[in-house]
Amino acid sequence: MDLKQLRYFIALAEELQVTSAAQKLHMSQPPLSQQLKLMETELGVPLFNRNGRNLELTAPGKTLYEHALTITRLMEEAKAEIQESGQGLRGKLSIGINTLSDERLPEALSAFRALYPNVTFKIQQNETNQLMKLVKDRALDLAIVRLPIALDEFDYVNLGAEPLFFVTAGKLQEGIVQAEAGGQSAQPLIAYEQIALHPLVLPSTEGLGLYHLLLDQFHAKGLSPTIVGECSDIGMLIELVSSGFGATILPRASLNRYRCHQLQAYRIDGPHASSSSAMIWLKQHYISKAAQKLIDLIKPLNN
């Protein structure tokens, strides 16, 4: 079998119809059927069960499909790496961000563009779980996500922690402690015990990143906050808080983007009142030189 046959087989395995697979490959049906017959003859096993016009992968077919995906991906990565070595740093770098992404990315991209002007960017916003899927599907080279998340399938650079702020539409009269002079922040402080007394609209969605971190902090202190909503769109979340719908908790990066809104922000008091972010990429897979250069550039920003 050769690479062309493997690509034919992948199309058949994904479409499960010869007609639709042929259309996907921009070829006629008889040559594709002939190629499938040649592969099955060479391997000595049926790769599909036939049910009228529909196909169903056999156990050997499923095994070949996994290997075919790996082989074609490795060849594409090898081709990209060889072309890069001969052409210099160029191409398109796809980066995923969420609405809570690190505020240092624009600085890093500006510095990168000054060094490598032939590289263009595609920046895509999505929720953390979807960004992880896109990285695994190789639709994104890199993504910046808010921790904590499971990183077993990824390599990553931890971008460090930033303080969390309790954000309200109006000024609070009780439960506020003024930060000590010369402390980390001159802004007033508030404890989770006081935050739990307010109706909250939390960023992100249940079970992911910051949402999970915040609930853990409340539960560790024996608190049961009143959560009136969840919102993964930070712009909408800020509008809800501005309207008096509820208060929220945001990392500094997100808060800094919406300084034009008339909001009151109080730094949360305590050793765990911070949120971390990370730049991730798929573990044990080739990444482009452009992606590696951006990783190398963003690492020092964490210091």
Side-chain angles (χ1 to χ4, degrees):
M1 285 185 296
D2 56 27
L3 280 173
K4 184 178 289 186
Q5 286 179 313
L6 288 179
R7 292 192 175 97
Y8 291 164
F9 173 74
I10 289 171
L12 286 164
E14 292 176 347
E15 296 297 321
L16 294 177
Q17 275 193 348
V18 176
T19 303
S20 56
Q23 291 173 347
K24 183 177 182 179
L25 293 165
H26 304 291
M27 62 186 298
S28 60
Q29 182 177 335
L32 182 58
S33 298
Q34 181 63 27
Q35 289 297 322
L36 174 58
K37 184 176 179 181
L38 289 173
M39 284 187 281
E40 290 182 321
T41 300
E42 179 180 345
L43 293 171
V45 293
L47 299 173
F48 295 96
N49 291 320
R50 278 75 168 172
N51 182 16
R53 298 177 59 187
N54 297 321
L55 302 174
E56 181 184 355
L57 279 169
T58 62
K62 291 178 182 177
T63 300
L64 179 60
Y65 177 65
E66 296 299 326
H67 286 294
L69 289 177
T70 301
I71 291 167
T72 54
R73 175 182 54 77
L74 288 173
M75 285 300 300
E76 289 167 1
E77 291 175 356
K79 180 180 177 181
E81 185 171 5
I82 291 167
Q83 288 176 333
E84 279 186 343
S85 65
Q87 298 176 359
L89 204 62
R90 60 182 65 243
K92 181 180 289 185
L93 190 53
S94 297
I95 304 172
I97 60 171
N98 62 29
T99 51
L100 295 168
S101 284
D102 193 273
E103 62 187 344
R104 292 164 292 183
L105 182 61
E107 176 189 350
L109 293 184
S110 294
F112 184 95
R113 188 171 183 276
L115 292 170
Y116 310 107
N118 292 323
V119 176
T120 59
F121 294 93
K122 178 183 178 182
I123 301 172
Q124 177 175 339
Q125 180 179 301
N126 218 312
E127 294 187 2
T128 293
N129 59 340
Q130 186 63 23
L131 291 176
M132 294 168 67
K133 182 180 185 302
L134 291 170
V135 172
K136 285 192 284 188
D137 291 345
R138 311 289 286 169
L140 292 174
D141 299 299
L142 306 165
I144 294 181
V145 295
R146 185 65 55 166
L147 303 177
I149 56 171
L151 293 170
D152 297 344
E153 298 180 75
F154 304 95
D155 285 322
Y156 63 95
V157 173
N158 195 313
L159 300 176
E162 56 185 307
L164 292 172
F165 289 83
F166 177 61
V167 185
T168 68
K171 192 171 184 179
L172 300 182
Q173 303 299 323
E174 299 180 353
I176 304 302
V177 177
Q178 196 64 37
E180 296 181 6
Q184 184 176 354
S185 173
Q187 289 182 287
L189 304 176
I190 189 170
Y192 278 106
E193 287 79 1
Q194 292 297 320
I195 294 173
L197 302 177
H198 298 264
L200 297 173
V201 186
L202 292 185
S204 192
T205 51
E206 185 174 355
L208 293 174
L210 185 58
Y211 183 97
H212 186 68
L213 181 148
L214 294 174
L215 287 189
D216 282 350
Q217 292 303 309
F218 283 115
H219 295 160
K221 295 172 174 58
L223 303 171
S224 299
T226 301
I227 300 173
V228 297
E230 305 164 17
C231 185
S232 61
D233 185 311
I234 302 306
M236 175 58 70
L237 178 58
I238 291 291
E239 294 293 340
L240 289 171
V241 174
S242 297
S243 72
F245 182 80
T248 192
I249 297 173
L250 290 174
R252 181 179 56 202
S254 299
L255 184 61
N256 286 346
R257 294 179 186 173
Y258 297 93
R259 289 189 177 277
C260 58
H261 287 72
Q262 298 301 311
L263 298 172
Q264 300 295 321
Y266 304 90
R267 189 168 180 270
I268 300 176
D269 195 11
H272 302 293
S274 61
S275 173
S276 298
S277 57
M279 175 174 279
I280 65 170
W281 60 97
L282 196 57
K283 184 179 289 185
Q284 295 179 341
H285 284 72
Y286 167 76
I287 60 171
S288 68
K289 282 187 178 180
Q292 186 60 62
K293 291 293 185 183
L294 180 59
I295 293 166
D296 293 340
L297 187 64
I298 210 166
K299 282 179 181 178
L301 297 179
N302 188 32
N303 298 329

